[in-house]
Amino acid sequence: MIIMGFALKYGYSILCVVAVALLPAISHSQDYTCSRATYFGSPDCLGTPTGACGFGGYGRTVNDANVAGVSRLFKNGTGCGGCYQVRCKASNLCSDDGVNVVVTDYGEGDKTDFILSTRAYARMARPNMALELFAYGVVDVEFRRIPCRYNGYNLMFKVHEHSRFPEYLAIVLLYQAGQNEILAVELRQEDCKEWRGMRRAYGAVWDIPNPPKGAISLKLQVCGSAGVTWVQADNVLPSDWKAGVAYDSAIQLP
């Protein structure tokens, strides 16, 4: 029996990738990448409010808290929010469809790409086979990138709790649909009639000192199925934005 175990690269980070509601029709003819997966334990089987992507409480409960962490798929934070189908390969224990997850954290295991929550790990198993699957600790898996779909949610901009109005603004993007990666974020400086680039602080968190006064418009450089493009959200943050509040953009990524 292989005993479950892994080492966190970031001491503050318990790894999370979160399962989301994704496209219902999944063809088994598409290419998968072979890898390995393990799991981390939590008292309530939910995700964690900490993590390298900076998603906070969103990473704890999104999509019924089916969560895991990734290593090389993290891509220095660009991989945050990406969705994957992960299925284990022990035919007597594993379901055909596996579990769908979205990246919300970084971590390294025993040659693993995915470190799942117990809830997500169990969903790879056939009915009544979860305990047997847990006994393996680390299992061979195959995975593929799939589009994310969040029914009923637009792309949201959460003002990070470390923001300080009006001197410092940090944001994190939530409910990132499609099969996209955020390459850059810019903020509109109306008095100068120009766009200012924000810094990727870490993971999915972008920040800027001395943001402009008034309502704030943001522009995202997105890499997805349509190639590299820009998506703009006008006046998405109010003039009196507050730390910890998530603002609806009224748009979604293609």
Side-chain angles (χ1 to χ4, degrees):
M1 180 180 70
I2 300 174
I3 303 300
M4 186 277 290
F6 58 88
L8 297 176
K9 183 164 184 175
Y10 300 106
Y12 60 83
S13 172
I14 297 178
L15 314 182
C16 303
V17 170
V18 189
V20 296
L22 301 163
L23 297 180
I26 298 176
S27 169
H28 294 278
S29 64
Q30 297 184 28
D31 291 336
Y32 289 81
T33 298
C34 293
S35 184
R36 292 174 13 122
T38 185
Y39 64 93
F40 69 90
S42 63
D44 53 12
C45 298
L46 300 179
T48 172
T50 61
C53 285
F55 285 139
Y58 166 89
R60 175 171 168 77
T61 60
V62 66
N63 195 59
D64 201 27
N66 294 285
V67 303
V70 295
S71 52
R72 61 191 173 94
L73 300 175
F74 186 74
K75 304 176 185 177
N76 295 318
T78 304
C80 289
C83 293
Y84 294 86
Q85 181 191 13
V86 185
R87 59 190 192 186
C88 56
K89 299 173 70 175
S91 59
N92 59 322
L93 298 177
C94 301
S95 67
D96 292 336
D97 292 330
V99 63
N100 296 333
V101 298
V102 55
V103 175
T104 63
D105 206 346
Y106 174 88
E108 297 178 356
D110 180 12
K111 299 179 181 179
T112 61
D113 278 308
F114 295 90
I115 304 177
L116 293 87
S117 69
T118 52
R119 187 172 299 195
Y121 193 89
R123 288 199 174 177
M124 292 194 298
R126 294 183 183 275
N128 303 315
M129 293 293 185
L131 290 179
E132 287 86 346
L133 190 62
F134 279 124
Y136 278 79
V138 180
V139 293
D140 292 328
V141 299
E142 55 186 10
F143 70 90
R144 63 176 177 174
R145 182 75 183 267
I146 53 176
C148 305
R149 177 177 291 170
Y150 298 98
N151 294 327
Y153 288 94
N154 295 317
L155 180 67
M156 300 189 74
F157 293 87
K158 180 184 177 182
V159 179
H160 196 276
E161 287 80 0
H162 291 167
S163 298
R164 300 184 305 276
F165 181 86
E167 295 90 3
Y168 170 74
L169 173 64
I171 62 168
V172 57
L173 280 65
L174 309 180
Y175 301 110
Q176 174 183 321
Q179 192 168 320
N180 302 285
E181 296 178 350
I182 307 300
L183 304 180
V185 179
E186 295 185 354
L187 176 150
R188 180 71 174 174
Q189 184 81 45
E190 282 298 338
D191 54 355
C192 300
K193 303 299 180 184
E194 65 180 15
W195 291 91
R196 292 171 57 192
M198 300 185 74
R199 177 184 71 120
R200 186 190 293 275
Y202 66 94
V205 180
W206 300 81
D207 69 353
I208 193 168
N210 303 314
K213 296 180 180 179
I216 293 177
S217 298
L218 295 166
K219 185 168 63 172
L220 314 176
Q221 188 181 46
V222 178
C223 180
S225 57
V228 177
T229 186
W230 287 91
V231 177
Q232 186 169 326
D234 293 324
N235 301 323
V236 67
L237 302 185
S239 58
D240 59 346
W241 51 264
K242 294 178 174 58
V245 177
Y247 297 94
D248 193 328
S249 71
I251 64 172
Q252 191 49 272
L253 300 182

